Amino acid sequence: MTAPHQPSRTQLERIAYRRKRAIRSTLIAAFSTAVVGLLLYLGVTGSPGWARVKSSFLDWDIAVKALTGRDNYPSILSGLWLNIRLMVICTACALALGLLIAILRTLRGPVTFPVRALATTYTYSFRGLPLIIVIYLFAFGIPGLRLQGTPSVTVLGAAAIVVTYGAYLAEVFRAGIESVHPSQVAAARSLGLSYRRTMRHVVLPQAIRRVTPPLLNDTVALQKDVGLISLAGPIDAIRAAQINQAGTANFTPYVVAGVLFVLLALPLIGVTDWVTLRAARRQNAGN
Amino acid sequence: MLLSCTDVRKTFGANVVLDNLSLDVAEHEVVALIGASGSGKSTLLRCVNLLTEIDDGVVRLDGEDITDPRVDPDLVRQKIGLVFQSYNLFPHMTVLDNITLAPVRVHKRPVAEARSQAMEWLSRVGLADKSGSYPDRLSGGQQQRVAIVRALVNSPRLLLLDEVTSALDPELVGEVLTMIRELKGEGMTMVLATHEMGFARQVADRVAFLDKGRVLEQGPPSQVLGDPAEARTRQFLARIIEAGRL
């Protein structure tokens, strides 16, 4: 039995020095945070228009009423239920569309050229087109055609969001697919796997794992942009807030809707950070 | 002849990698390809496995022209195993899943049967306890042995080995070479590109020296490695001896 290791005098000195530095850093951080916070508070509340802004943006009574709905005004909370449903459905559809387009773009061979060309044109144009314009085109343009069985404005608005975000997600998926080393494809093909099986069992599982953090990040962006559907007319949280604001001449309902959107995004942002951290740790673990 | 390459030509741009190369391999024969980097060893193996399309010539497997564009390459590859220098195991799958992927998905064998066969192979090569591990938890030698098993469970007619020990630490080379020696004992037909001259001498029935995309000289190991007829072969071997690899 060997005796447990006793740290040398030098090492003990180092530990003591590091501890002293750590305490000093914490104290400085606490002090500077307090100073910045105080200055911000004084700057905002001390401004000449603060009383006015406070009453028109942060009115507690109006906030409660807008949230729950009253006097025939729509409630923000019930509008939010529409947003939540749209978020779930649009996210799922946009991910599926993005993956499909990314796979189409990786196809080879002359037969698939038109498919490839279409997929490329799609990702190029819809990444450039502002979402607001797509929503207007879908929600007001398509019903204008007066075709039989045109879906509701809400469905058309959701389709606009799916089509726009599908283009971004397709590029993220494609980056993932291209990041898988060609030797992986060679290994799979050498075992007799067809191109389709190679994609399904070897390339896509690795690709999707690699791009999960950016995919989730785009999903967070999609969640909040679902609120833009209010431009097409359906009464979601933002539309409800706008109607409340128009009736009370007070902007507090918008603040309420904004806070609710942040709260909705927090879980997914948390998941994104956790997944990113885990991926980074796994990478650093090395071979 | 099990494998017969006739006047195979492959160019990458202006670079002629295989210059009307011809090589025959009989059933149960082990042929070692030696030669400098860029002499065409790896390219030849990739061409035989149809991972690289040849520019001219014919490759026959069991008399069938596999370089005919009407032949389904997936069916040909099911009869030829290929082991890579850098193992190329699938990092997102366990050792067992790596091995059973092709038997289950390509050969449509029942999962339980494929798994028990894979476990048999793994215990043979002393890796049964690693069946649930992911490849990045294994040493290079262990990964390469798994890669060889992955190729073998498809019962290939021909096994191609592309410098399978080049990426390994010297003390791990032995475990892989032992496995290849055992395969030879069982009558597996193999073509192996190698830098291990000592091993080529032990295990190969025939050594082929490739130079500038041609088979410059071939014959029994004792002759090609011991008493080469060509000046280029002597030059190559002298450099290998100088580097302490023979």
Side-chain angles (χ1 to χ4, degrees):
Chain A
M1 276 290 285
T2 52
H5 175 70
Q6 287 293 334
S8 67
R9 260 182 69 93
T10 323
Q11 184 61 22
L12 289 173
E13 254 171 52
R14 285 179 194 147
I15 292 169
Y17 175 72
R18 283 192 194 122
R19 190 174 297 146
K20 223 165 80 185
R21 293 288 299 205
I23 292 169
R24 212 173 89 104
S25 312
T26 313
L27 287 177
I28 291 174
F31 178 71
S32 62
T33 309
V35 169
V36 170
L38 188 67
L39 285 177
L40 269 177
Y41 176 76
L42 291 177
V44 172
T45 57
S47 59
W50 168 241
R52 189 67 199 280
V53 167
K54 194 182 169 193
S55 65
S56 50
F57 281 88
L58 301 169
D59 187 317
W60 181 253
D61 288 339
I62 289 182
V64 173
K65 283 171 184 166
L67 195 64
T68 52
R70 51 104 221 217
D71 308 342
N72 289 334
Y73 288 133
S75 116
I76 293 179
L77 220 47
S78 56
L80 196 69
W81 175 233
L82 175 65
N83 288 104
I84 293 173
R85 280 176 297 166
L86 281 171
M87 280 173 190
V88 173
I89 294 167
C90 288
T91 303
C93 293
L95 283 170
L97 178 67
L99 183 58
L100 177 74
I101 296 293
I103 293 171
L104 291 181
R105 284 198 71 183
T106 60
L107 291 178
R108 296 281 168 266
V111 186
T112 57
F113 176 78
V115 182
R116 243 173 16 238
L118 270 177
T120 309
T121 314
Y122 162 66
T123 55
Y124 273 65
S125 42
F126 277 92
R127 277 185 301 160
L129 210 52
L131 178 54
I132 294 180
I133 295 176
V134 182
I135 289 177
Y136 281 150
L137 284 177
F138 273 54
F140 302 140
I142 292 178
L145 296 173
R146 300 189 185 184
L147 293 169
Q148 286 270 308
T150 305
S152 73
V153 179
T154 310
V155 174
L156 289 170
I161 293 168
V162 168
V163 165
T164 302
Y165 270 89
Y168 287 103
L169 294 171
E171 287 304 283
V172 176
F173 277 120
R174 190 169 70 100
I177 289 170
E178 282 174 2
S179 78
V180 176
H181 198 270
S183 65
Q184 286 287 310
V185 177
R189 299 307 299 272
S190 82
L191 292 170
L193 270 75
S194 61
Y195 179 80
R196 186 188 280 234
R197 287 223 166 81
T198 302
M199 280 302 268
R200 158 90 182 73
H201 296 291
V202 175
V203 177
L204 286 180
Q206 295 185 57
I208 290 171
R209 236 161 272 209
R210 265 178 227 180
V211 295
T212 301
L215 279 179
L216 286 170
N217 195 39
D218 279 353
T219 309
V220 173
L222 184 153
Q223 281 209 353
K224 101 195 139 157
D225 276 356
V226 157
L228 285 175
I229 206 168
S230 59
L231 292 168
I235 298 175
D236 74 328
I238 292 179
R239 185 84 180 147
Q242 190 224 327
I243 295 170
N244 275 280
Q245 178 264 328
T248 58
N250 190 298
F251 285 96
T252 308
Y254 276 131
V255 176
V256 171
V259 169
L260 289 175
F261 266 86
V262 172
L263 291 179
L264 269 186
L266 280 181
L268 195 55
I269 292 174
V271 170
T272 310
D273 282 355
W274 177 73
V275 168
T276 312
L277 199 70
R278 207 180 55 148
R281 276 215 194 108
R282 189 177 291 169
Q283 211 123 69
N284 291 339
N287 294 341
Chain B
M1 285 297 143
L2 180 66
L3 174 72
S4 159
C5 308
T6 315
D7 295 330
V8 173
R9 188 173 175 80
K10 178 69 199 175
T11 56
F12 292 113
N15 184 15
V16 182
V17 186
L18 297 178
D19 185 7
N20 295 356
L21 178 145
S22 295
L23 182 76
D24 287 342
V25 181
E27 186 134 36
H28 307 308
E29 193 182 19
V30 176
V31 175
L33 306 176
I34 63 167
S37 298
S39 59
K41 305 186 295 287
S42 295
T43 307
L44 177 61
L45 296 184
R46 290 180 68 94
C47 286
V48 170
N49 204 339
L50 307 181
L51 289 173
T52 303
E53 201 175 299
I54 60 173
D55 295 334
D56 205 347
V58 180
V59 179
R60 286 196 171 79
L61 184 72
D62 271 332
E64 183 200 10
D65 177 2
I66 58 171
T67 41
D68 185 327
R70 278 159 292 198
V71 167
D72 180 356
D74 291 334
L75 294 177
V76 173
R77 293 191 192 109
Q78 290 170 24
K79 291 186 260 181
I80 303 178
L82 175 59
V83 183
F84 300 83
Q85 179 175 348
S86 46
Y87 337 126
N88 298 2
L89 293 178
F90 306 127
H92 60 297
M93 293 183 190
T94 62
V95 164
L96 196 60
D97 289 340
N98 261 280
I99 297 171
T100 55
L101 177 65
V104 171
R105 300 289 168 186
V106 180
H107 301 278
K108 304 287 175 200
R109 303 244 310 274
V111 177
E113 185 198 309
R115 281 175 171 257
S116 71
Q117 185 208 14
M119 286 309 296
E120 255 169 58
W121 267 105
L122 283 175
S123 23
R124 255 195 66 181
V125 299
L127 291 173
D129 56 325
K130 302 287 184 197
S131 64
S133 304
Y134 284 87
D136 63 356
R137 296 276 159 242
L138 270 55
S139 76
Q142 291 170 332
Q143 288 190 53
Q144 193 59 292
R145 281 183 285 159
V146 171
I148 296 174
V149 169
R150 184 175 69 174
L152 288 173
V153 286
N154 296 320
S155 317
R157 302 270 284 123
L158 171 68
L159 188 61
L160 308 172
L161 301 150
D162 188 5
E163 299 190 16
V164 291
T165 57
S166 297
L168 298 179
D169 290 337
E171 80 267 24
L172 300 179
V173 169
E175 59 192 51
V176 173
L177 295 187
T178 306
M179 192 174 165
I180 297 171
R181 209 175 283 125
E182 282 172 18
L183 288 175
K184 178 188 162 63
E186 289 162 23
M188 175 63 74
T189 313
M190 290 185 274
V191 180
L192 45 109
T194 186
H195 286 302
E196 306 278 341
M197 297 306 147
F199 180 66
R201 188 193 289 268
Q202 283 176 39
V203 82
D205 299 308
R206 184 152 48 98
V207 172
F209 174 65
L210 266 62
D211 184 54
K212 295 181 182 140
R214 293 169 157 275
V215 178
L216 193 68
E217 181 170 5
Q218 57 178 319
S222 55
Q223 185 233 308
V224 177
L225 299 174
D227 181 24
E230 298 286 337
R232 290 277 308 149
T233 318
R234 280 198 293 275
Q235 234 175 46
F236 171 73
L237 290 172
R239 279 208 306 275
I240 294 277
I241 290 165
E242 207 176 305
R245 296 293 288 267
L246 186 66

